[in-house]
Amino acid sequence: MSLLAAAGLWGPPGLLLTFALHPALCLRPAPTSGPPHRDYCVLGAGPAGLQMAYFLQRAGRDYAVFERAPRPGSFFTRYPRHRKLISINKRHTGKANAEFNLRHDWNSLLSHDPRLLFRHYSSAYFPDAGDMVRYLDDFADRLGLHVLYNTTIAHVTLNKDRQAWNGHYFILTDQRGHAHRCSVLLVATGLSVPNQVDFPGSEYTEGYESVSVDPKDFEGQNVLILGRGNSAFETAENILGVTNFIHMLSRSRVRLSWATHYVGDLRAINNGLLDTYQLKSLDGLLESDLTDLAIVKDREGKFRVTLKFFLEEGNQSADAITLPQDDNDNFAMRVAYDRVIRCLGWNFDFSIFDKSLRLSSGGEFSKKYPLVKASYESKGSRGLFVLGTASHSVDYRKSAGGFIHGFRYTARAVHRLLEHRHHSVAWPSTEHPISQLTSSIVRRINEASGLYQMFGVLADVVLLKENATAFEYLEELPVQMLAQLETITGRRARHGLFVINMEYGRNFSGPDKDVFFHDRSVGHTEDAWQSNFLHPVIYYYRHLPTEQEVRFRPADWALPRPTAIHHIVEDFLTDWTAPVGHILPLRRFLENCLDTDLRSFYAESCFLFALTHQKLPPFCQQGYLRTQGLVGTESLRRHREERRFPQGYATVGRRREDGAPGPEGGPLAPGPPLLQPHDSNKEEL
Amino acid sequence: MMSSSFNIYRVGISFVMMCIFYKSAVDSLSELSPQKYFSTLQPGKASLAYFCQADSPRTSIFLEELNEAVKPLQDFGISVAKVNCVKEETSRYCGKEKDLMKVYLFRGNILLREFPTDTLFDVNAIIAHVLFALLFNEVKYITTLEYLQNIENSLKGKANIAFSYVRAIGTPEHRAVMEAAFVYGTTYQFVLTTEIALLESIGTEAIENAHFYFFHCKQVLDLTQQCRRTLMEQPLATLNIHRFIKTMEAPLLTEVAEDPQQVSTVHLQLGLPLVFIVSQQATHEADRRTAEWVAWRLLGKAGVLLLLRDSLEVDIPQHANVVFRRAEEGAPVEFLVLHDTELIISRVEGNTHIEEMQEDEDEDVQSPDMDIQDDEVAETVYRHRKTQLPLELTVELTEETFNATVVASDSIVLFYAGWQAVSMAFLQSYIDLAIKLKGTSTMLLTRVNCADWSDLCTKQNVTEFPVVKMYKEGKHPVSYAGMLGTEDLLKFILLNRISCPVNITSVQEAEEYLSGELYKDLIPYSSMSVLGLFSPNMTTAKEDFTKAGNYLRGCVITGIYSEEDVLILSNKYGATLPALLLARHKEGKVESVPFANSRVQDIVQIVTNALLETFPEITVENLPVYLRLQKPLLILFSDGSINPQYTKAILTLVKEKHLDSLTPCWLNLNFTCSGMETSSSCL
């Protein structure tokens, strides 16, 4: 297949791409002999695939998205079966800040186009899945993303080549047998294979993927649902009113997302069955390992639950099989069921990937998720990244990486990594004088949506310059990659760094925790470290942590032990701008770490310092001395006199009082200074 | 409330004690007939006698109290007796009626005082009154400040004064003072008052039941000098006074050169800690002064010693400059590094409190000013938060309105963040500016709150706050880089009204421009007008100058003249083309500077240098400009405007090139530092 033909498939945008490809092609030997080449291939045009395509497109990269369906987001054309998305579509927050509003918009993808916000597609708080399909369609369309629809990639394999970016190319073969060669493969195929648990009688179960969604079909029936996730409860919710009763069976106890703070656990919107169970309305929840069970069909065609153990006893006919109630006549599941529905979640489709890619190599999630590093790159083959729901192994049951409102940020992080790795574009950062440090952090903790959603996974990093006179601000870095920061971002971290992370209280969340206990929230600054609800935590490291330190960090810590740590007290309104409650303690923490004075001063005070001190506070150095001092108005000045500012600055002096020997440990200063008022003794310059 | 309940408690205690010792105590109060009594009186010995009717009840509250007083009074050498007035032996001291019975104090057989029984209401009152009467000369009772000053003056250089205030005569505190006076009355002049007003006038705060001061008058030689005063901080009780006076007698400062562990002074015996100030030969004088200062502050609370490191045999840690030793036996000696004498004081005072406040220790560890705002900008903005600003004078822009607005009209945009103190402080200046410019400016004053329109600010390349940008005629926006204040921004806006450089088209216009007539209203904001002179064919030079003018926009007026008749001007001002004419309006002078082959940077340099004065007054606004010259400032401090003579002298020195390595300037102490404490402490 010639390149021209491939370009032709895309229509007009192809022209642009051919142009972009041209210089690359000149460098490669015999372009006509091999399969058509792309720098980036994205598998799947779901939310994650489209999100990645958007970033690649904006960066002007050579890429293509392969999608087997005729339009994007095919998963959402069927799932969820009952059509109600449980991702929040909050259209009003009372704020204009677009970045802040993304914190409460769980469906939109990231783009520069404000029309491509999900709130323009649905007014429902829990929107219909059809709207998501429409949204994704528009997203791909409006942004002109290069998606090859109706292209099913049937097989992916590796082709070693020394000249390739990663030492090998990925060869994708589609259903027509056409091959595509890619330098980087981005897998965003989601979890598409229904999880099946193998036990005797599993053939009698109906799957979530195919079970009827019409409540009429369940009228007056006894229903057993296997699983206790959102799909199980969603199914139960739909038929709750028409069945005799529903029993729900799962290996471990129900996990409520409002108790675990993990959006993948059972959401309150689906939990009607919990209510009827606890109110003794015949429905019920049971815990047992499915692999120990067996289901047998009795003479009436109803289903009986028994133990696998009994089945193995001998070759008996169906009616003669021992049932638990034979020994134990009050066995809970002794009734016969009309239906058994299996809602056991989804697995990644490993089938199209060649063994040589080593996408799965055992381990905890070996069946469910492909094996990836914290950078979302496959552990088995360099240059293969997993995006979207399939990449959730990184923060499974912790953060939001398996959901649109989480993986839209991780896709951006992966894109930034790739930009640096292959195009020498360093991780985007802004550089500021140190006097802006407090403000930069306050700004981000109050509006950043990536930090808020991907708490504990993506974190902002402040890299200090020499002598802490300036800093670089990097946003949303995969925090587990902190040790490799220099190599993955192209930025230098030689003079210490801050990491800004969002965290829940350590012992607050959990399936068995009471999250409504008295005194659950903290209001006082001194108790900030005991904050339970999501709040910013600032870590200070004098040196970049090593890989060892990151790997062997304390259990349940997002980061290795820092030189210093600061919790900003949780806030009911998640508005961390209180001057004394939030900003002042943060500033003091930063000052203590950097041994500097980060207060702001009016020009008059700077003037005074300039005439009486050798060294000025950074705010004066970076403002006043550059003729950009803050003059202040008459009335402000009046207020100031009431408080008799300025007090001697030099926080350094303040700190020395704790007994640490200063540079001059000798005799005390002679007479005169002693007669000065108390606070002026703080001056030490 | 507290004190009264305390008294009740005491009375209760004494009542119980009395019951217990009733039998034995009653024996000690001798009961005599008048005749017998007078025969026992010895010359010079004091005696207290209660005359009562023989048939009066054997017990009364007064008798009980008197019984109590027998033993203490005997300790002072005063005998106590109850005299029974029997019919046959009438004495003039015997009252006629029961209620009129009195108590008499004799020395020898001379009557000193008589007391109605109700003045001697309890044992303390009895002792206090008796001693007060006997020590009439030793304890001066005063009621006015004047009297106190007289005593003070008369004793300067001679003796120290023990001054005390008690709430009333006859109180336990009064007794304590009198007992002390009995012992020390010959050494110190005791002065007693019951007047609160007097206490207030010597500056006592938080006046309580009683106060005891020690006035150090003996060492005052200069009569105009006041005696130093030391206040006893412990409650007024005999033992405390005794201990206090002991420490007053001890030397203020002792120099030692022995192991701090071995040193023993009266302070340790009295249960007070010792503070050693470590000194060495080189700094001995200074240390001694420091130590003396500390000693005065700690007088009565701790002993202060000067420890000479050089002649010391034992080792003490190298950095330690203070050694602290508590009075408890076996308490370890603490070696400390304290950089502030206040810390020594607080350490001693804290240490004495430590027993009482053990539980609060955890809280003490936390810095007490944890949540006190020490950022002056944040503090003033916070205090000002409820003041309504006329924000409507500026146009608030949003993501939707921004582009249309800055395209449609020349605009100044303030990018700020609502939660940031510096932004909000500057917003007030900005609003003041809007008030000043109301209805006069063609420039639209607008603002964008980046807390709301984060994306917009990022797109406009604003990542710090506050930032001011000028959007004019659809050109690339210009960032304002001046002081964040009303005046400076006003200057920037006004000077930007004309293009920079402005094109001058005739010689006459050029003359008007140089004289300041052309832009009369702008002259107050630009002390200098710059005119570039070019022949019409000097295109590169003109281009460079135009760029420089653009760069200097908002800070100085620039103009350009390149007509055919340019020679008229260049000849007049003696300039070779291309040239800069610098018109200083204050002095009415026009100076010409040739700048052939100068680049943009050089032209800017020439102009900015020309803007500097030779002997400027340093102000808050211009200090950074002069500091930028990287030369030391030679500052003349002036109380008010500078004396023209000094100006002349400095200018002469400058002219003779004596001051080339310095920037001479002067500073008006009255003006520049106004509002900052006082002028003298300002620098």
Side-chain angles (χ1 to χ4, degrees):
Chain A
M1 184 190 209
S2 83
L3 183 83
L4 270 177
L9 269 177
W10 299 327
L15 195 68
L16 194 130
L17 196 82
T18 333
F19 180 71
L21 267 176
H22 190 250
L25 286 173
C26 295
L27 299 171
R28 294 206 178 88
T32 45
S33 63
H37 175 87
R38 314 256 176 269
D39 286 346
Y40 296 97
C41 294
V42 182
L43 283 192
L50 295 181
Q51 185 67 82
M52 194 63 195
Y54 168 77
F55 290 118
L56 291 168
Q57 169 119 333
R58 291 285 280 180
R61 301 296 163 215
D62 166 32
Y63 79 96
V65 183
F66 298 90
E67 170 59 48
R68 68 180 158 198
R71 57 193 295 210
S74 63
F75 179 86
F76 292 96
T77 56
R78 183 159 179 83
Y79 304 108
R81 292 297 313 284
H82 304 89
R83 308 313 287 150
K84 190 189 261 183
L85 296 176
I86 51 176
S87 45
I88 288 169
N89 176 37
K90 199 169 175 62
R91 293 176 306 133
H92 304 288
T93 60
K95 302 216 184 191
N97 190 317
E99 176 67 19
F100 174 88
N101 285 343
L102 270 180
R103 288 182 173 185
H104 306 289
D105 173 352
W106 291 11
N107 296 291
S108 297
L109 295 180
L110 304 177
S111 79
H112 60 280
D113 188 347
R115 291 172 305 171
L116 287 173
L117 285 173
F118 198 79
R119 60 190 165 95
H120 302 308
Y121 289 81
S122 171
S123 60
Y125 192 44
F126 293 104
D128 188 87
D131 293 329
M132 178 55 81
V133 177
R134 198 159 51 84
Y135 172 76
L136 294 174
D137 217 9
D138 260 16
F139 189 87
D141 226 35
R142 281 230 178 122
L143 298 168
L145 304 177
H146 307 316
V147 187
L148 299 173
Y149 294 110
N150 302 312
T151 307
T152 310
I153 298 300
H155 193 63
V156 179
T157 183
L158 271 186
N159 193 357
K160 291 247 185 297
D161 189 327
R162 254 188 239 163
Q163 279 177 309
W165 287 352
N166 294 301
H168 50 243
Y169 291 112
F170 297 94
I171 307 297
L172 279 52
T173 313
D174 64 24
Q175 79 275 28
R176 290 179 287 269
H178 297 153
H180 307 264
R181 193 180 75 171
C182 315
S183 297
V184 172
L185 180 62
L186 300 150
V187 178
T189 50
L191 303 179
S192 55
V193 183
N195 183 28
Q196 308 219 21
V197 177
D198 194 30
F199 59 87
S202 61
E203 66 275 14
Y204 300 127
T205 64
E206 299 170 83
Y208 168 76
E209 62 282 356
S210 58
V211 72
S212 162
V213 294
D214 185 357
K216 282 195 194 105
D217 296 340
F218 299 87
E219 204 86 43
Q221 294 189 348
N222 303 344
V223 179
L224 176 67
I225 297 179
L226 308 178
R228 50 136 181 78
N230 275 303
S231 58
F233 277 88
E234 172 199 318
T235 307
E237 191 83 12
N238 188 44
I239 56 175
L240 203 53
V242 296
T243 53
N244 296 336
F245 55 79
I246 302 171
H247 287 171
M248 199 175 271
L249 181 67
S250 65
R251 185 173 47 213
S252 52
R253 58 164 293 163
V254 65
R255 297 168 55 96
L256 297 158
S257 71
W258 46 258
T260 59
H261 296 109
Y262 170 66
V263 289
D265 285 331
L266 177 59
R267 300 284 304 283
I269 177 165
N270 279 335
N271 69 8
L273 184 104
L274 297 183
D275 190 56
T276 53
Y277 167 45
Q278 293 290 357
L279 297 177
K280 296 306 287 174
S281 300
L282 298 181
D283 301 318
L285 240 61
L286 292 151
E287 279 92 46
S288 170
D289 195 337
L290 295 185
T291 51
D292 291 342
L293 295 185
I295 289 174
V296 291
K297 203 173 188 176
D298 67 13
R299 249 175 304 181
E300 285 111 59
K302 298 208 171 189
F303 304 109
R304 298 276 184 174
V305 175
T306 183
L307 299 176
K308 198 180 192 173
F309 168 75
F310 292 138
L311 254 64
E312 284 157 5
E313 281 178 343
N315 239 347
Q316 297 147 322
S317 66
D319 289 328
I321 289 172
T322 321
L323 295 173
Q325 55 263 43
D326 298 343
D327 291 337
N328 192 359
D329 58 10
N330 64 350
F331 176 63
M333 285 183 287
R334 58 188 181 273
V335 288
Y337 295 99
D338 296 299
R339 279 168 186 262
V340 182
I341 308 170
R342 157 177 58 75
C343 306
L344 297 171
W346 306 88
N347 291 331
F348 180 73
D349 183 2
F350 289 92
S351 66
I352 62 167
F353 298 95
D354 192 87
K355 279 266 183 323
S356 61
L357 292 168
R358 289 181 292 164
L359 218 45
S360 172
S361 56
E364 201 185 340
F365 304 114
S366 57
K367 263 180 77 190
K368 194 169 175 73
Y369 294 115
L371 210 61
V372 293
K373 297 191 264 192
S375 59
Y376 301 93
E377 187 166 16
S378 155
K379 278 187 180 165
S381 31
R382 189 177 154 92
L384 191 156
F385 289 84
V386 181
L387 305 173
T389 308
S391 68
H392 196 27
S393 60
V394 171
D395 59 346
Y396 183 64
R397 281 193 179 160
K398 289 193 181 86
S399 205
F403 312 90
I404 295 179
H405 65 283
F407 64 62
R408 60 189 181 201
Y409 304 103
T410 56
R412 181 158 68 188
V414 169
H415 176 247
R416 285 171 175 166
L417 295 175
L418 290 170
E419 283 292 296
H420 176 245
R421 185 188 279 185
H422 299 306
H423 311 285
S424 306
V425 179
W427 193 282
S429 76
T430 49
E431 193 171 333
H432 306 277
I434 203 76
S435 54
Q436 291 284 335
L437 181 57
T438 319
S439 287
S440 297
I441 294 176
V442 172
R443 179 184 181 172
R444 285 287 292 168
I445 60 176
N446 279 297
E447 65 176 33
S449 58
L451 291 188
Y452 193 81
Q453 299 295 13
M454 290 302 290
F455 57 89
V457 179
L458 298 181
D460 283 4
V461 176
V462 169
L463 300 177
L464 295 161
K465 298 282 173 187
E466 202 166 357
N467 299 325
T469 52
F471 66 93
E472 272 184 300
Y473 201 104
L474 277 65
E475 295 178 0
E476 293 168 18
L477 195 83
V479 80
Q480 299 313 313
M481 298 300 289
L482 192 62
Q484 295 95 320
L485 181 136
E486 294 197 340
T487 47
I488 64 171
T489 64
R491 306 279 172 193
R492 292 276 153 270
R494 293 291 149 85
H495 306 285
L497 64 152
F498 289 101
V499 178
I500 295 101
N501 189 30
M502 301 281 262
E503 291 173 14
Y504 279 98
R506 268 199 223 305
N507 298 313
F508 185 47
S509 317
D512 51 353
K513 295 275 165 69
D514 171 17
V515 288
F516 296 106
F517 67 92
H518 182 65
D519 272 352
R520 61 190 173 276
S521 72
V522 165
H524 292 289
T525 319
E526 311 86 81
D527 309 323
W529 61 281
Q530 291 175 312
S531 293
N532 282 321
F533 290 91
L534 196 63
H535 63 281
V537 184
I538 322 290
Y539 294 74
Y540 172 63
Y541 296 94
R542 215 165 270 140
H543 309 285
L544 197 61
T546 61
E547 273 179 69
Q548 286 278 310
E549 284 168 341
V550 174
R551 187 174 312 152
F552 300 110
R553 64 188 185 274
D556 294 332
W557 281 48
L559 285 155
R561 212 173 277 283
T563 312
I565 191 166
H566 176 70
H567 290 253
I568 298 180
V569 68
E570 61 183 318
D571 191 80
F572 189 61
L573 305 175
T574 63
D575 177 0
W576 288 280
T577 59
V580 174
H582 301 136
I583 301 179
L584 177 69
L586 170 65
R587 197 199 77 218
R588 292 248 168 87
F589 168 74
L590 299 173
E591 282 174 342
N592 277 315
C593 292
L594 302 178
D595 208 15
T596 188
D597 186 341
L598 294 178
R599 286 180 288 172
S600 45
F601 296 94
Y602 287 108
E604 267 184 33
S605 307
C606 292
F607 173 77
L608 189 67
F609 292 143
L611 291 178
T612 53
H613 293 71
Q614 289 195 330
K615 212 169 154 255
L616 267 63
F619 187 85
C620 291
Q621 275 180 42
Q622 291 160 2
Y624 178 70
L625 285 192
R626 295 182 185 164
T627 66
Q628 292 174 29
L630 177 67
V631 179
T633 62
E634 198 81 22
S635 55
L636 284 174
R637 255 178 264 157
R638 217 175 32 243
H639 278 300
R640 176 160 148 263
E641 277 150 34
E642 285 164 19
R643 276 288 299 267
R644 275 192 287 137
F645 276 109
Q647 297 168 350
Y649 88 90
T651 44
V652 185
R654 228 188 293 157
R655 226 161 291 123
R656 291 259 168 73
E657 288 171 13
D658 56 17
E664 69 294 338
L668 288 155
L674 300 173
L675 302 171
Q676 288 184 1
H678 188 129
D679 57 350
S680 66
N681 278 323
K682 281 177 183 169
E683 298 195 15
E684 201 215 32
L685 291 168
Chain B
M1 186 61 205
M2 271 305 286
S3 62
S4 69
S5 65
F6 180 61
N7 279 341
I8 289 164
Y9 174 71
R10 277 185 68 112
V11 170
I13 288 284
S14 52
F15 182 74
V16 171
M17 301 251 297
M18 201 186 59
C19 296
I20 294 167
F21 296 110
Y22 187 74
K23 272 257 146 48
S24 61
V26 84
D27 290 344
S28 59
L29 180 64
S30 45
E31 290 192 40
L32 302 165
S33 67
Q35 208 172 12
K36 194 100 182 262
Y37 173 70
F38 285 113
S39 66
T40 61
L41 292 181
Q42 294 164 17
K45 281 280 257 179
S47 172
L48 186 72
Y50 172 52
F51 285 79
C52 63
Q53 301 291 346
D55 53 354
S56 65
R58 278 182 61 92
T59 57
S60 72
I61 290 177
F62 171 71
L63 273 177
E64 284 163 10
E65 293 294 325
L66 190 64
N67 250 320
E68 276 282 291
V70 171
K71 184 80 179 52
L73 283 175
Q74 273 172 353
D75 289 346
F76 294 111
I78 303 159
S79 57
V80 184
K82 181 183 170 213
V83 180
N84 295 321
C85 294
V86 286
K87 264 176 198 161
E88 52 275 28
E89 279 184 70
T90 50
S91 159
R92 60 189 174 107
Y93 299 111
C94 289
K96 297 267 170 344
E97 286 162 46
K98 263 188 220 164
D99 331 350
L100 291 176
M101 290 296 138
K102 282 186 178 170
V103 184
Y104 298 89
L105 180 66
F106 298 91
R107 180 179 278 141
N109 43 20
I110 305 157
L111 174 67
L112 286 182
R113 276 288 295 274
E114 57 174 71
F115 304 101
T117 48
D118 54 355
T119 43
L120 307 182
F121 47 84
D122 72 354
V123 61
N124 290 318
I126 296 169
I127 295 166
H129 274 285
V130 169
L131 290 177
F132 198 25
L134 290 173
L135 298 172
F136 181 74
N137 288 318
E138 283 86 353
V139 181
K140 290 219 156 69
Y141 180 78
I142 62 165
T143 49
T144 63
L145 183 63
E146 205 186 348
Y147 198 3
L148 178 65
Q149 277 162 349
N150 286 341
I151 298 173
E152 211 178 313
N153 283 334
S154 65
L155 289 174
K156 276 177 190 164
K158 293 180 192 126
N160 294 326
I161 299 173
F163 170 69
S164 50
Y165 158 82
V166 293
R167 205 157 52 161
I169 300 295
T171 56
E173 291 81 14
H174 182 212
R175 173 184 167 183
V177 172
M178 294 322 300
E179 286 178 341
F182 189 86
V183 180
Y184 295 102
T186 49
T187 325
Y188 309 110
Q189 177 62 57
F190 275 70
V191 179
L192 181 75
T193 188
T194 50
E195 298 296 318
I196 282 196
L198 180 57
L199 206 61
E200 278 167 351
S201 62
I202 69 161
T204 310
E205 288 165 11
I207 293 173
E208 288 163 29
N209 262 348
H211 290 271
F212 190 89
Y213 278 96
F214 195 85
F215 287 18
H216 305 263
C217 289
K218 199 171 179 179
Q219 70 217 56
V220 178
L221 301 174
D222 179 0
L223 288 183
T224 58
Q225 217 183 325
Q226 252 203 336
C227 306
R228 268 181 189 268
R229 294 165 181 165
T230 308
L231 172 69
M232 185 176 89
E233 291 185 354
Q234 288 80 20
L236 215 68
T238 314
L239 200 62
N240 286 339
I241 299 176
H242 171 72
R243 189 170 13 196
F244 182 66
I245 288 176
K246 277 276 180 224
T247 59
M248 293 301 119
E249 285 173 337
L252 180 68
L253 181 67
T254 324
E255 288 197 18
V256 292
E258 50 185 307
D259 184 357
Q261 189 74 68
Q262 305 304 327
V263 173
S264 175
T265 72
V266 65
H267 298 96
L268 285 182
Q269 294 153 19
L270 294 173
L272 297 174
L274 290 187
V275 173
F276 298 81
I277 308 279
V278 182
S279 171
Q280 46 203 4
Q281 210 65 51
T283 56
H284 181 257
E285 260 318 294
D287 295 336
R288 198 179 162 83
R289 259 179 290 151
T290 307
E292 267 174 22
W293 189 85
V294 172
W296 274 115
R297 286 286 303 268
L298 290 178
L299 195 57
K301 293 170 202 151
V304 179
L305 300 95
L306 197 63
L307 186 64
L308 301 170
R309 188 198 286 270
D310 304 300
S311 38
L312 199 61
E313 281 172 14
V314 286
D315 267 349
I316 60 170
Q318 208 202 334
H319 287 298
N321 56 4
V322 173
V323 183
F324 188 72
R325 181 171 160 204
R326 279 187 284 150
E328 290 86 1
E329 212 160 320
V333 174
E334 297 169 62
F335 296 95
L336 309 168
V337 184
L338 300 172
H339 290 286
D340 187 339
T341 47
E342 285 299 334
L343 295 178
I344 306 178
I345 311 288
S346 59
R347 179 143 196 120
V348 170
E349 288 175 349
N351 226 292
T352 47
H353 293 163
I354 220 147
E355 285 122 282
E356 307 159 27
M357 321 219 314
Q358 210 94 56
E359 292 146 56
D360 302 344
E361 207 167 33
D362 285 358
E363 282 153 47
D364 279 5
V365 172
Q366 268 220 344
S367 149
D369 59 353
M370 215 16 222
D371 50 3
I372 292 181
Q373 181 63 267
D374 56 356
D375 182 310
E376 56 177 19
V377 180
E379 210 279 335
T380 49
V381 166
Y382 186 71
R383 272 161 168 262
H384 215 270
R385 69 195 184 281
K386 287 190 178 159
T387 318
Q388 288 285 325
L389 288 176
L391 286 172
E392 66 282 357
L393 293 178
T394 58
V395 181
E396 183 171 15
L397 298 183
T398 69
E399 213 145 62
E400 288 85 46
T401 58
F402 181 84
N403 282 323
T405 310
V406 299
V407 166
S409 52
D410 293 350
S411 317
I412 295 283
V413 185
L414 165 63
F415 295 92
Y416 68 105
W419 47 263
Q420 197 215 25
V422 177
S423 281
M424 294 315 279
F426 181 54
L427 180 63
Q428 301 204 5
S429 301
Y430 192 66
I431 297 297
D432 282 359
L433 175 74
I435 294 169
K436 277 194 178 170
L437 284 176
K438 200 174 174 184
T440 63
S441 176
T442 53
M443 196 69 83
L444 188 67
L445 293 185
T446 66
R447 60 195 159 86
V448 174
N449 186 351
C450 295
D452 290 335
W453 308 105
S454 186
D455 288 354
L456 170 61
C457 298
T458 313
K459 266 181 217 151
Q460 294 301 317
N461 214 5
V462 174
T463 52
E464 297 168 10
F465 317 110
V467 164
V468 176
K469 288 192 179 205
M470 182 177 66
Y471 294 77
K472 209 177 166 190
E473 293 151 11
K475 278 189 216 150
H476 199 69
V478 179
S479 289
Y480 170 70
M483 294 278 271
L484 300 176
T486 312
E487 285 306 313
D488 297 81
L489 187 55
L490 179 67
K491 173 181 167 180
F492 176 79
I493 292 173
L494 291 178
L495 293 185
N496 264 301
R497 216 165 58 193
I498 56 169
S499 56
C500 269
V502 66
N503 216 10
I504 307 288
T505 50
S506 73
V507 173
Q508 198 203 340
E509 197 187 359
E511 292 290 3
E512 275 173 23
Y513 173 82
L514 290 172
S515 69
E517 280 298 305
L518 191 60
Y519 296 114
K520 216 173 178 175
D521 50 335
L522 296 184
I523 297 308
Y525 301 98
S526 177
S527 60
M528 193 170 78
S529 296
V530 181
L531 183 63
L533 297 183
F534 305 90
S535 335
N537 57 354
M538 295 174 168
T539 25
T540 358
K542 271 198 278 186
E543 244 169 54
D544 286 349
F545 179 76
T546 309
K547 275 183 202 156
N550 252 311
Y551 183 85
L552 291 165
R553 64 190 307 167
C555 120
V556 69
I557 306 178
T558 54
I560 188 165
Y561 189 76
S562 69
E563 299 298 319
E564 295 293 342
D565 56 358
V566 69
L567 283 178
I568 302 174
L569 282 173
S570 67
N571 287 339
K572 181 179 173 189
Y573 294 104
T576 37
L577 298 178
L580 292 178
L581 294 185
L582 309 171
R584 294 172 199 276
H585 301 298
K586 226 170 23 186
E587 295 139 52
K589 275 196 278 190
V590 178
E591 185 189 337
S592 81
V593 185
F595 74 101
N597 302 324
S598 295
R599 317 209 7 219
V600 183
Q601 217 41 47
D602 304 323
I603 302 170
V604 170
Q605 198 61 51
I606 292 169
V607 175
T608 41
N609 283 348
L611 282 169
L612 299 178
E613 294 172 51
T614 17
F615 184 50
E617 178 190 352
I618 284 295
T619 61
V620 172
E621 289 72 34
N622 70 13
L623 177 69
V625 177
Y626 289 97
L627 281 179
R628 238 182 232 172
L629 300 175
Q630 305 270 347
K631 285 196 267 183
L633 299 182
L634 174 69
I635 309 181
L636 268 71
F637 293 92
S638 173
D639 193 8
S641 274
I642 188 99
N643 187 328
Q645 272 188 322
Y646 297 152
T647 313
K648 216 171 139 191
I650 293 285
L651 289 179
T652 319
L653 285 174
V654 171
K655 215 169 256 170
E656 289 166 7
K657 304 217 175 283
H658 293 302
L659 300 179
D660 280 3
S661 58
L662 302 168
T663 307
C665 55
W666 65 280
L667 194 138
N668 186 338
L669 286 177
N670 290 342
F671 182 70
T672 308
C673 292
S674 66
M676 285 191 233
E677 304 168 43
T678 59
S679 311
S680 52
S681 73
C682 142
L683 299 176

